[in-house]
Amino acid sequence: MSVSVKRGRPPGMMDVARLAGVSHQTVSRVLNEHKNVSEQTRLKVRAAIAELGYRPDRAARALVTGTSQVIGVVAQNSSLYGPASMLTAFEEAAQATGFAVNVGSVRSLDERSITEAVERHLDQRVAGLVVIAPVASAGPALAHLPADVPLVTIDGDPERSSTLVTVDQVAGAKAATKYLLDAGHQAVWHISGPSDWFDAAGRIRGWEAALKEAGVEIPPLLTGDWSAGSGYRNGQLLARLPDVTAVFTANDHIALGLLRALNEHGRKVPGDVSIIGFDDVPEAAYFTPPLTTVRPDFAAVAAATLELLITQIESGTSEIGTRRTIAPTLIERDSVARPA
Amino acid sequence: MSVSVKRGRPPGMMDVARLAGVSHQTVSRVLNEHKNVSEQTRLKVRAAIAELGYRPDRAARALVTGTSQVIGVVAQNSSLYGPASMLTAFEEAAQATGFAVNVGSVRSLDERSITEAVERHLDQRVAGLVVIAPVASAGPALAHLPADVPLVTIDGDPERSSTLVTVDQVAGAKAATKYLLDAGHQAVWHISGPSDWFDAAGRIRGWEAALKEAGVEIPPLLTGDWSAGSGYRNGQLLARLPDVTAVFTANDHIALGLLRALNEHGRKVPGDVSIIGFDDVPEAAYFTPPLTTVRPDFAAVAAATLELLITQIESGTSEIGTRRTIAPTLIERDSVARPA
DNA sequence: GACAGCCATGTTTGCGTTCACATTCTGGCC
DNA sequence: GGCCAGAATGTGAACGCAAACATGGCTGTC
């Protein structure tokens, strides 16, 4: 019943070897599942490991191999739903494959901050690096990284030649816009995200493309900043234009603010105005009315990212230029109706 | 102008020492800012470091010192606003003090999962551990941790004897309830979070305490699960009771669902029913109507946690029993009115 | 002028692991 | 019976760093 309090250094390979009556090298072989170890000694070593409660020291292994089982992630320290979900999805995926995740939050995604964060990670001898870089300012920093470290960018610059995984913003926005057009709306307005975000730019392009394909004139673009506040402010404007009957917002929170503005001006949703958002935040189903929106598959992005990264880690080469695009899904709810 | 591509092992102390014409130990002394190094050699070494682009190898340092500059965080892999905000706040705080943060997400906070996550961290020789453990099920796991590793729990069991930092749920809930009573409401209802969460339990206690102090009878407790959906479902019920004029919800998303239920039943907020939420999610200011709510100070919690943890790390002892409670703030918006 | 004391620096050792190489043992074949 | 292949195991070094100990030079004191 007595639990011995561990004092001093934990047991090392040598201790295990001594107890099992073998050399430390044999212990190492058992640990790394080398062949050419007899079943008998394997069992002896396993028993000794269990008895001592031995756990291999990753630091020592990292020292000699020059690498670790840790993946460094650089992400902006924001509580924006998209990036935050991306991060947790990736953590979960990485853990399932036995990699630890080291998060280097960064206050803003400018070159200096990213470079610093990356260098902190390199100090730790990370095996690979993931940068969640949804804004243009991150570009220069990524261009100057050492080429020999495995790196995958999420939501980065589609024009850059790095390994990249993205949500297909254009397709999502197009689907949303088309959905509104198909419902019979003559025009679809758009409140966008900040223009330096690739996500925002992609959603704008998809919106424009859908309108163009339908031969519909493109209304003036309204610019938001992902926040509900920006949806509200732009909504004040839209609410006064009686010919506005359909709006695609760059995310759900903008839609929420828009909803409030329309409500204050007595315009009904979806009776007078139809709305589609983007992200499918968990509470979107409980907006008033429940919001039709576009849902990105964060888990799929995370899985693809990890797969590409592990390929690079194992091959030792950084296969620059690989792309992976994940298509989002339109979620139908009650914020869209046929115009009167 | 030529940038040499780094190949093979990066430069080590030896390389720096050779270039500076000193011994590697002197380099070490400069790095660790030891005294007894002449200004002259200090400069020489610094120059050599800069020229080679030398960066100390943390793995090697960890090996020899037996510890690292990494803090392990165990957190549930959820996108719930509270825990997620807590996590990012802590990451930011830790980074400011030069600690790296290793996140061990965990799917659920049962004993097994936590123990596993903790052991993964211990493998990495983390300097300290933070567990964000807002649910009762985490208790047993925390009780069986090795006592010699610095550990701080956030939002853990108030009854346990570990070092603990919490938001003062009781005070926040009390303030909200009192605010509604002071506005003239005869009764205040509550839609709670899941009963196994300490946060939820604390908010229930605060609500009850405020009612008791005011000599008001305590209405039946409605139980939610933090989600907007649970707010909506409970709202269906409340909306049909004409004497319900004030509701305190355990978080903002529950309030959002409640808002929709009330709206569907034609009950105006705040005209017919007043509501106060908890969390102050960024979009709460743009609910319809803007939500009066209670804002926990995540940054303060993170700072307190880090401070306690660093104290333990530096002293080597785990000063069990220290507590820190952070008071939240009531944010007044438009979802509360005097009853008719 | 000898000796203590301090300062700046160098030398050695070892952290726990893997890798490259060495050694021993086993069995099959002529 | 001798020899060789290959399997099983062992030995020694190296990884990059910090701590303990060792050295040499300078200053001040009597």
Side-chain angles (χ1 to χ4, degrees):
Chain A
M1 244 343 251
S2 96
V3 177
S4 71
V5 176
K6 283 158 196 162
R7 269 277 138 249
R9 291 258 175 179
M13 257 188 184
M14 282 303 205
D15 303 307
V16 176
R18 209 170 303 129
L19 182 58
V22 298
S23 77
H24 63 117
Q25 176 61 313
T26 301
V27 176
S28 172
R29 279 193 269 255
V30 170
L31 250 53
N32 299 348
E33 283 167 342
H34 268 253
K35 43 196 161 250
N36 295 353
V37 180
S38 74
E39 194 54 28
Q40 198 184 0
T41 55
R42 190 191 309 278
L43 289 176
K44 269 195 306 187
V45 170
R46 286 259 154 75
I49 288 176
E51 182 174 342
L52 291 175
Y54 164 80
R55 339 203 80 230
D57 185 329
R58 313 276 190 154
R61 187 196 302 243
L63 176 61
V64 58
T65 61
T67 184
S68 65
Q69 288 286 95
V70 178
I71 295 176
V73 178
V74 179
Q76 190 162 16
N77 194 350
S78 85
S79 49
L80 285 175
Y81 178 78
S85 302
M86 211 49 265
L87 183 56
T88 64
F90 184 78
E91 278 165 6
E92 186 164 7
Q95 237 151 58
T97 65
F99 277 93
V101 172
N102 219 305
V103 180
S105 315
V106 105
R107 211 179 276 268
S108 76
L109 286 167
D110 56 287
E111 178 161 5
R112 222 177 100 80
S113 305
I114 292 189
T115 306
E116 274 179 21
V118 166
E119 291 192 336
R120 274 200 305 271
H121 279 139
L122 293 181
D123 280 357
Q124 310 270 352
R125 294 279 190 272
V126 293
L129 229 38
V130 171
V131 184
I132 303 179
V135 301
S137 61
L142 298 180
H144 296 150
L145 291 186
D148 57 350
V149 46
L151 170 73
V152 178
T153 310
I154 294 181
D155 276 352
D157 187 347
E159 307 298 315
R160 279 197 65 250
S161 60
S162 72
T163 305
L164 189 66
V165 179
T166 55
V167 171
D168 194 338
Q169 314 288 355
V170 175
K174 231 167 137 172
T177 308
K178 239 184 133 198
Y179 186 90
L180 289 166
L181 291 172
D182 289 350
H185 294 274
Q186 298 297 323
V188 177
W189 294 63
H190 180 47
I191 306 177
S192 76
S195 53
D196 56 335
W197 284 60
F198 300 121
D199 300 21
R203 290 169 201 180
I204 292 173
R205 277 208 307 285
W207 165 70
E208 287 176 343
L211 293 176
K212 239 175 239 165
E213 277 179 23
V216 173
E217 201 176 339
I218 300 179
L221 172 69
L222 300 173
T223 305
D225 61 3
W226 301 128
S227 77
S230 70
Y232 179 71
R233 286 186 294 276
N234 280 296
Q236 305 268 31
L237 209 162
L238 292 176
R240 289 203 219 111
L241 308 174
D243 56 321
V244 171
T245 68
V247 184
F248 164 54
T249 62
N251 75 354
D252 293 350
H253 289 150
I254 293 179
L256 183 68
L258 171 60
L259 238 25
R260 173 147 94 92
L262 292 173
N263 188 283
E264 285 182 359
H265 286 259
R267 305 208 63 193
K268 303 285 177 213
V269 178
D272 300 326
V273 182
S274 292
I275 300 183
I276 298 188
F278 208 112
D279 272 356
D280 192 26
V281 299
E283 62 271 22
Y286 294 91
F287 285 5
T288 311
L291 187 70
T292 295
T293 186
V294 180
R295 178 196 294 166
D297 189 344
F298 295 116
V301 174
T305 303
L306 194 59
E307 188 196 323
L308 290 176
L309 192 62
I310 289 182
T311 306
Q312 285 189 38
I313 291 173
E314 286 177 349
S315 74
T317 58
S318 11
E319 304 173 26
I320 283 191
T322 317
R323 292 291 159 83
R324 212 80 128 219
T325 308
I326 309 294
T329 321
L330 186 83
I331 307 290
E332 298 188 53
R333 295 208 183 93
D334 310 335
S335 61
V336 176
R338 308 196 69 80
Chain B
M1 252 328 260
S2 96
V3 177
S4 71
V5 175
K6 283 156 198 165
R7 270 276 139 250
R9 289 258 175 179
M13 257 188 184
M14 282 302 205
D15 304 307
V16 175
R18 210 170 302 131
L19 181 59
V22 299
S23 77
H24 65 115
Q25 176 62 301
T26 301
V27 177
S28 172
R29 280 193 268 254
V30 171
L31 249 52
N32 299 350
E33 284 168 340
H34 270 253
K35 42 198 160 251
N36 295 353
V37 180
S38 75
E39 194 55 28
Q40 197 183 0
T41 54
R42 189 188 309 278
L43 289 176
K44 269 194 306 186
V45 170
R46 286 257 153 76
I49 288 176
E51 182 173 344
L52 291 176
Y54 165 80
R55 338 205 78 230
D57 185 331
R58 310 279 189 151
R61 186 193 301 235
L63 178 60
V64 61
T65 59
T67 184
S68 65
Q69 288 286 95
V70 178
I71 295 176
V73 178
V74 178
Q76 189 162 17
N77 194 350
S78 86
S79 48
L80 285 175
Y81 179 77
S85 302
M86 209 51 263
L87 182 56
T88 65
F90 185 78
E91 278 165 7
E92 186 164 6
Q95 234 151 60
T97 64
F99 276 93
V101 172
N102 219 305
V103 180
S105 315
V106 106
R107 211 180 275 270
S108 75
L109 286 167
D110 55 287
E111 177 162 4
R112 223 178 98 80
S113 306
I114 292 188
T115 307
E116 273 178 23
V118 165
E119 290 193 336
R120 276 201 304 272
H121 279 139
L122 293 181
D123 278 358
Q124 310 271 351
R125 296 275 190 277
V126 293
L129 229 38
V130 171
V131 183
I132 305 179
V135 302
S137 62
L142 298 180
H144 296 149
L145 290 186
D148 57 349
V149 44
L151 170 74
V152 178
T153 310
I154 295 181
D155 275 352
D157 187 347
E159 306 300 316
R160 279 196 66 249
S161 60
S162 73
T163 305
L164 190 66
V165 179
T166 56
V167 170
D168 194 337
Q169 314 287 356
V170 175
K174 230 166 138 172
T177 309
K178 239 183 133 199
Y179 185 88
L180 289 166
L181 291 172
D182 288 351
H185 293 274
Q186 298 296 324
V188 177
W189 294 63
H190 180 47
I191 306 178
S192 76
S195 53
D196 56 336
W197 283 62
F198 300 122
D199 301 19
R203 290 171 202 179
I204 292 173
R205 277 209 306 286
W207 165 69
E208 288 175 345
L211 292 177
K212 239 175 242 165
E213 277 179 22
V216 173
E217 202 177 340
I218 300 179
L221 172 69
L222 301 172
T223 305
D225 63 3
W226 300 130
S227 77
S230 71
Y232 178 70
R233 285 186 294 277
N234 281 297
Q236 304 269 31
L237 210 162
L238 291 177
R240 289 203 219 111
L241 307 175
D243 55 319
V244 171
T245 69
V247 185
F248 164 54
T249 63
N251 76 354
D252 292 350
H253 288 150
I254 293 178
L256 183 68
L258 172 60
L259 238 26
R260 173 147 94 90
L262 292 173
N263 189 284
E264 284 182 0
H265 287 258
R267 305 207 64 190
K268 303 285 178 216
V269 177
D272 301 325
V273 183
S274 291
I275 300 182
I276 297 188
F278 207 112
D279 271 356
D280 192 27
V281 299
E283 62 272 21
Y286 293 92
F287 285 5
T288 311
L291 187 69
T292 295
T293 187
V294 180
R295 179 195 293 165
D297 188 343
F298 296 115
V301 173
T305 304
L306 195 59
E307 187 196 323
L308 290 177
L309 192 63
I310 289 182
T311 306
Q312 285 189 38
I313 291 174
E314 287 177 350
S315 73
T317 58
S318 9
E319 303 172 26
I320 283 191
T322 316
R323 292 290 160 84
R324 213 78 130 222
T325 307
I326 310 293
T329 322
L330 186 84
I331 308 290
E332 298 188 53
R333 296 211 182 92
D334 310 335
S335 60
V336 176
R338 309 196 70 79

